[in-house]
Amino acid sequence: MEERKTSDNFMLKLSAFIVNKRKAFIALFALACIYSVISIPKVGVINDLTEYLPESTETRQGLDIMEREFTTFGSAKILVSNITYEKALGLGRELEEIKGISAVSFYDEDDDLYDSDDRGDYYRDASALYTLTFDEEEDTQLSQSAMVQVRQVLEGYSSYVYTTVDKDDAASLKADMQVIVVIVIFIILVVLLFTSKTYMEIVIFLAVFGVAALLNMGTNYWFGEISFVTNAVGAVLQLALAIDYAIILFHRFMEEHETKETIEALTIALSKAIPEISSSSLTTVSGMIALMFMQFGIGMDLGSVLTKAIIISLLTVFLLMPALIVMFSGAIDRTVHQNFVPTINFWGKLVVKLRYVGMPVFLAIVAAAGIYAGKCPYIYDINSIESSKKNEFMASKERIEETFGVTNTMAIVIPKGDYEKEGKILKRLEAMEEVDTALGLANVEVSEDGKYILVDRLSPREFSEVAGVDLGLVRILYQFYAIKQEQYSAFMKNLEDYRVSIIDMIDFIYAQKENGGLEFDEDMSEEIDDLYHAVCDAREQLEGEEYDRLVFQLKGAVEGEETFATIDRIRNIALDYYDEVYVVGDATSNYDLSSSFERDNVIISVLTALFVGLILLFTFQSAGLPFLLVLTIQGSIWINFSMPYLTDSTMYFLSYLVVSSIQMGATIDYAIVITSRYLDLRSSMPDRKETVVEALNQSFPTIITSGTILTSAGFVIGYLTNNAVIASLGKVLGRGTLISIILVMTVLPQLLLLGDKLIDKTELTKAVKLGQEKEEQA
């Protein structure tokens, strides 16, 4: 008793200090807001989820090497429908003339590069497919300008453009979120108008939410960079997750204000609200902390930002909101209105009446949902997510794959230098049924008959035939090359036996032309320049300082057991020749994500349930209550994630990891609200049925306020953004929250009523008292 009194006194002193120093806190928050406004533009946003793959994964290591060693030129796939072949051929030549476009791949029956069997790969069903390669990387001014011209040429055609050259996810997502935030704010206003006791509280709530969101976005600068997922949904989730805190404090104030003046009422209300809100926030924070243990780095990113968001929301409610309440106390009193929230005694009585039917049904549904959730068909490819609203990128991808089939570009990164080994790997890749094409320096053809490739070592006569240059001149070039390389034995033996690779001879001839060591006529000089630049382009893409890259097109899906098995076969082919091999591409990224998901899934599920269970154990001092509450919310999670299996749809793996954690951490609060009311009322209401009815009635305003906002925010995000990742997260979160609310308002009261004796028997304080009594008797 003495400890409780000491704790209450401390809270009263702390609350009095906060209320008395309210002007200082307003000034402090004003400065913090100015800092945040300055900092927000400096926050970096990462749009590529592969950046968050663990450093130990093959994909991450391979991508790092490719970024460091190779140049990847911009590219685009364009499908034009309702076009004749002749017009399509003319359009392809027009696209090829655009400055900044180095090549346009399209079937030309007069071009020896194509066989007649290739036509169907480029033209079918009155649709033409062009593959464009740019002169530079996709983010350069030349590539951007070329893409503008491409779109101008395509005006008047029915076209589908699939490219990342001018794809701006950040701008598109920002535009979507601006609309979403407006809609969510409107929903919040409607909900608060319905559940508020005074109109002025709505203004105070919005001010508190706005400041908390602003501070969280500004302090993201501390992390340097955050993911586009976190950047997009952080503010909306912060608002939805933390709205309870402001509601609890204000309702406490209004209760005290009925008999006390503003300052006194606020001080007492704050002293009661700080422990209650802090305890409530722990379950939400625990879910965010569980995310931070994910192997996939997006968990640390999202978990750390949202944990910070909740802490900032707590501080804003505790330190700023009291100042706003005092500042607008007169307006609060003048705008008091009747309570619009109806009593729901009828619902409580119905729940009590159906408890013996509801429990078996609930247990059966949860058991089935647990099985079906385990069969949920997860996907890992970001471009395969089903989305209600599709952007141009996704719509074009789907149309191209529907008409010409699915292919995805992959790469093998291997140590540099051994063209013979590379050639063997490329031949084995080309022989695979699952591989469409394979390209490396070791198979670039330089003669029309395909007899010679770029890295072949040729004699002077062979080089003369390939290059179409006089044999006498070639012999001089070979002699000059041998001298420069200090390979004097070439003169001691027959020069005709001296062999130099085509690629090395091209480099040598160009270097001598440039430094004046050799002179050529204008036509020859221009031909040498073109040949050299073509070789340079190939080298930039396929040859680095320490590694070479082999690029191939993989047929079929970008994920799944068959695809992953094919990747293993390809890796093993390369491992037959090299000890160090990296297979990189969307398929391997999905492969690595699927591997990390298995671990992350177990970690998040176990840690979230463990953290929440421990918090509930200490909160309610009962060993049985945490089981009842976690069973309710875990049941809602299983039902949520059994839906994809039952509806024959797919689930993006990240949606499961993030939403399962948020759903457990956040919606357990709804269960805590009802349970706390039930336990408080038990002492004064001996009839447990009436206790349940009244507990539901008193909890309804809080749950309907917070739950409606979180559910609405999820669905609005899910259906109004064209970013598939964000849309998937939103839909699953909205559905999960709705299911949690339904179970908390129906099943949990029945569990509390039927498990009342279990709650009594597992109460820790009672066990301690019994132990003390036994010791005294002894």
Side-chain angles (χ1 to χ4, degrees):
M1 184 67 71
E2 188 66 32
E3 290 181 5
R4 177 68 179 271
K5 191 177 291 185
T6 302
S7 175
D8 290 344
N9 288 336
F10 171 76
M11 282 300 166
L12 277 171
K13 290 179 181 179
L14 176 62
S15 300
F17 173 80
I18 293 171
V19 174
N20 291 335
K21 300 295 181 181
R22 59 188 178 275
K23 292 182 181 178
F25 284 118
I26 288 178
L28 184 64
F29 274 93
L31 291 173
C33 287
I34 293 172
Y35 167 81
S36 294
V37 169
I38 296 171
S39 299
I40 287 174
K42 300 178 183 178
V43 179
V45 179
I46 299 174
N47 290 308
D48 186 2
L49 287 181
T50 59
E51 293 283 334
Y52 293 97
L53 283 169
E55 293 294 333
S56 59
T57 60
E58 179 182 6
T59 302
R60 180 71 266 149
Q61 293 174 4
L63 286 171
D64 288 342
I65 291 172
M66 291 203 303
E67 186 175 346
R68 185 176 67 246
E69 298 246 339
F70 306 104
T71 298
T72 302
F73 295 128
S75 64
K77 281 191 175 183
I78 299 171
L79 184 147
V80 178
S81 61
N82 301 318
I83 189 171
T84 64
Y85 170 73
E86 290 71 22
K87 283 188 177 181
L89 189 60
L91 177 60
R93 289 168 180 167
E94 190 176 353
L95 291 170
E96 203 164 16
E97 293 299 317
I98 294 174
K99 184 180 179 181
I101 303 293
S102 63
V104 175
S105 178
F106 183 72
Y107 176 77
D108 186 344
E109 57 191 9
D110 297 326
D111 193 330
D112 294 334
L113 289 174
Y114 300 98
D115 296 326
S116 57
D117 295 339
D118 295 334
R119 178 176 173 129
D121 295 334
Y122 298 91
Y123 184 83
R124 66 172 66 168
D125 300 332
S127 296
L129 179 64
Y130 308 93
T131 301
L132 279 59
T133 304
F134 291 75
D135 283 323
E136 297 179 357
E137 294 177 285
E138 63 181 32
D139 56 353
T140 67
Q141 182 61 44
L142 179 62
S143 296
Q144 296 295 314
S145 175
M147 198 64 227
V148 171
Q149 294 180 63
V150 167
R151 292 190 179 277
Q152 290 174 349
V153 170
L154 293 174
E155 287 180 3
Y157 291 96
S158 177
S159 61
Y160 299 83
V161 181
Y162 178 60
T163 182
T164 55
V165 172
D166 60 352
K167 182 172 178 270
D168 192 343
D169 286 327
S172 176
L173 189 55
K174 184 179 179 181
D176 286 344
M177 291 310 296
Q178 287 173 347
V179 175
I180 287 169
V181 167
V182 170
I183 295 174
V184 170
I185 290 175
F186 175 76
I187 292 170
I188 291 170
L189 285 172
V190 172
V191 173
L192 291 180
L193 279 170
F194 177 71
T195 60
S196 64
K197 296 181 179 180
T198 167
Y199 294 122
M200 194 61 208
E201 73 179 82
I202 300 172
V203 177
I204 294 174
F205 286 165
L206 291 179
V208 170
F209 299 153
V211 170
L214 180 64
L215 295 183
N216 190 48
M217 289 188 288
T219 51
N220 286 337
Y221 176 63
W222 299 346
F223 298 124
E225 293 179 318
I226 60 173
S227 71
F228 74 93
V229 176
T230 305
N231 187 58
V233 302
V236 177
L237 286 181
Q238 177 187 7
L239 188 155
L241 292 173
I243 192 171
D244 290 351
Y245 311 151
I247 293 172
I248 290 171
L249 174 58
F250 195 86
H251 286 184
R252 285 285 189 185
F253 165 73
M254 292 299 290
E255 289 172 7
E256 298 293 336
H257 193 39
E258 291 177 3
T259 57
K260 301 177 182 69
E261 292 299 319
T262 299
I263 298 295
E264 183 185 1
L266 182 58
T267 303
I268 295 172
L270 188 59
S271 69
K272 293 178 179 179
I274 289 176
E276 183 179 353
I277 294 172
S278 299
S279 175
S280 175
S281 68
L282 285 176
T283 55
T284 308
V285 169
S286 67
M288 302 307 102
I289 291 175
L291 279 176
M292 296 163 68
F293 283 89
M294 282 173 57
Q295 189 177 20
F296 188 35
I298 193 71
M300 174 61 75
D301 179 79
L302 188 61
S304 57
V305 170
L306 288 181
T307 298
K308 176 169 63 68
I310 292 167
I311 294 171
I312 287 174
S313 295
L314 285 172
L315 293 175
T316 308
V317 168
F318 292 157
L319 303 179
L320 178 63
M321 190 171 173
L324 296 178
I325 290 175
V326 174
M327 184 183 299
F328 298 109
S329 58
I332 291 172
D333 292 337
R334 288 192 300 271
T335 58
V336 173
H337 60 77
Q338 70 179 64
N339 187 6
F340 299 127
V341 180
T343 58
I344 57 167
N345 291 331
F346 73 94
W347 177 256
K349 291 177 182 178
L350 180 63
V351 167
V352 169
K353 186 176 182 180
L354 295 177
R355 64 188 182 280
Y356 293 115
V357 176
M359 271 300 93
V361 172
F362 167 70
L363 293 175
I365 291 175
V366 167
I371 295 171
Y372 295 142
K375 297 179 179 180
C376 180
Y378 294 105
I379 59 172
Y380 306 92
D381 179 47
I382 192 172
N383 293 321
S384 299
I385 305 171
E386 299 173 359
S387 178
S388 301
K389 184 181 177 184
K390 291 182 173 60
N391 55 24
E392 182 197 36
F393 183 82
M394 290 302 299
S396 298
K397 174 182 180 291
E398 290 181 5
R399 179 57 191 271
I400 290 171
E401 291 181 351
E402 179 185 328
T403 307
F404 290 94
V406 180
T407 60
N408 58 93
T409 303
M410 304 281 294
I412 302 174
V413 178
I414 49 179
K416 176 184 177 180
D418 196 327
Y419 295 130
E420 185 177 349
K421 289 181 180 179
E422 291 180 24
K424 291 178 180 178
I425 293 173
L426 289 167
K427 284 182 180 179
R428 291 178 65 177
L429 288 178
E430 290 174 327
M432 292 180 64
E433 188 177 332
E434 299 87 351
V435 175
D436 189 17
T437 60
L439 177 67
L441 288 178
N443 73 342
V444 175
E445 297 179 356
V446 293
S447 58
E448 293 183 1
D449 58 3
K451 182 179 179 181
Y452 298 115
I453 57 176
L454 189 60
V455 296
D456 279 346
R457 300 175 64 83
L458 306 184
S459 67
R461 184 174 297 279
E462 290 169 335
F463 188 85
S464 173
E465 293 174 359
V466 171
V469 180
D470 180 71
L471 179 59
L473 177 58
V474 171
R475 285 172 175 159
I476 294 172
L477 290 173
Y478 266 59
Q479 289 174 346
F480 201 14
Y481 178 88
I483 293 171
K484 289 291 184 180
Q485 301 297 317
E486 297 183 357
Q487 296 175 346
Y488 304 112
S489 60
F491 296 102
M492 305 300 294
K493 302 176 182 177
N494 187 357
L495 185 64
E496 294 301 320
D497 295 332
Y498 184 52
R499 292 182 172 272
V500 181
S501 70
I502 299 173
I503 191 170
D504 288 339
M505 183 55 67
I506 291 171
D507 286 343
F508 173 73
I509 294 172
Y510 180 80
Q512 296 307 312
K513 182 184 78 69
E514 289 297 294
N515 62 28
L518 292 171
E519 293 186 2
F520 299 92
D521 60 43
E522 186 176 341
D523 290 341
M524 179 64 74
S525 179
E526 187 175 334
E527 191 173 330
I528 291 171
D529 287 346
D530 292 342
L531 188 58
Y532 174 76
H533 290 307
V535 170
C536 283
D537 286 348
R539 269 188 157 151
E540 283 185 58
Q541 297 180 80
L542 303 173
E543 187 176 59
E545 291 293 325
E546 299 178 15
Y547 295 88
D548 282 348
R549 178 165 64 172
L550 312 180
V551 180
F552 61 96
Q553 290 282 341
L554 194 64
K555 299 177 185 177
V558 291
E559 61 180 300
E561 292 184 7
E562 291 184 8
T563 301
F564 295 156
T566 301
I567 292 171
D568 286 335
R569 285 173 55 202
I570 290 171
R571 185 184 299 105
N572 289 333
I573 288 173
L575 286 171
D576 286 342
Y577 304 94
Y578 296 93
D579 294 328
E580 184 182 8
V581 171
Y582 305 94
V583 182
V584 185
D586 288 343
T588 48
S589 174
N590 298 333
Y591 184 71
D592 288 336
L593 289 173
S594 68
S595 300
S596 67
F597 171 71
E598 295 175 5
R599 172 186 176 277
D600 289 341
N601 185 12
V602 173
I603 285 179
I604 286 182
S605 299
V606 172
L607 288 182
T608 303
L610 180 62
F611 290 157
V612 169
L614 288 173
I615 291 167
L616 295 176
L617 179 65
F618 286 105
T619 300
F620 294 113
Q621 294 291 298
S622 170
L625 262 177
F627 172 75
L628 300 180
L629 270 64
V630 171
L631 175 62
T632 305
I633 301 302
Q634 185 60 58
S636 71
I637 293 173
W638 282 337
I639 293 172
N640 189 16
F641 292 104
S642 67
M643 292 296 181
Y645 176 81
L646 295 173
T647 58
D648 194 26
S649 56
T650 56
M651 168 72 67
Y652 187 51
F653 82 103
L654 189 59
S655 299
Y656 174 83
L657 293 175
V658 173
V659 173
S660 63
S661 181
I662 292 176
Q663 189 177 343
M664 173 64 81
T667 61
I668 197 77
D669 280 354
Y670 309 153
I672 292 174
V673 169
I674 292 177
T675 304
S676 298
R677 295 284 183 180
Y678 175 77
L679 294 178
D680 290 342
L681 293 168
R682 268 201 327 169
S683 57
S684 59
M685 299 179 67
D687 189 332
R688 295 294 183 256
K689 296 176 185 177
E690 292 181 5
T691 305
V692 166
V693 173
E694 185 59 25
L696 275 175
N697 197 45
Q698 292 185 15
S699 305
F700 179 65
T702 302
I703 293 173
I704 199 65
T705 303
S706 177
T708 301
I709 290 173
L710 186 54
T711 302
S712 301
F715 283 132
V716 168
I717 290 171
Y719 287 98
L720 291 185
T721 179
N722 59 33
N723 186 289
V725 175
I726 306 299
S728 176
L729 287 171
K731 288 178 187 176
V732 179
L733 178 60
R735 185 177 66 209
T737 305
L738 182 60
I739 294 170
S740 293
I741 293 171
I742 292 171
L743 292 191
V744 163
M745 293 295 293
T746 54
V747 173
L748 180 60
Q750 296 174 344
L751 282 171
L752 292 174
L753 189 57
L754 296 174
D756 190 74
K757 291 183 179 178
L758 174 67
I759 296 171
D760 276 337
K761 290 181 179 179
T762 58
E763 189 176 348
L764 299 183
T765 53
K766 186 175 289 187
V768 171
K769 288 179 181 178
L770 288 173
Q772 290 175 345
E773 289 175 1
K774 287 182 179 179
E775 287 181 6
E776 290 174 0
Q777 291 174 358

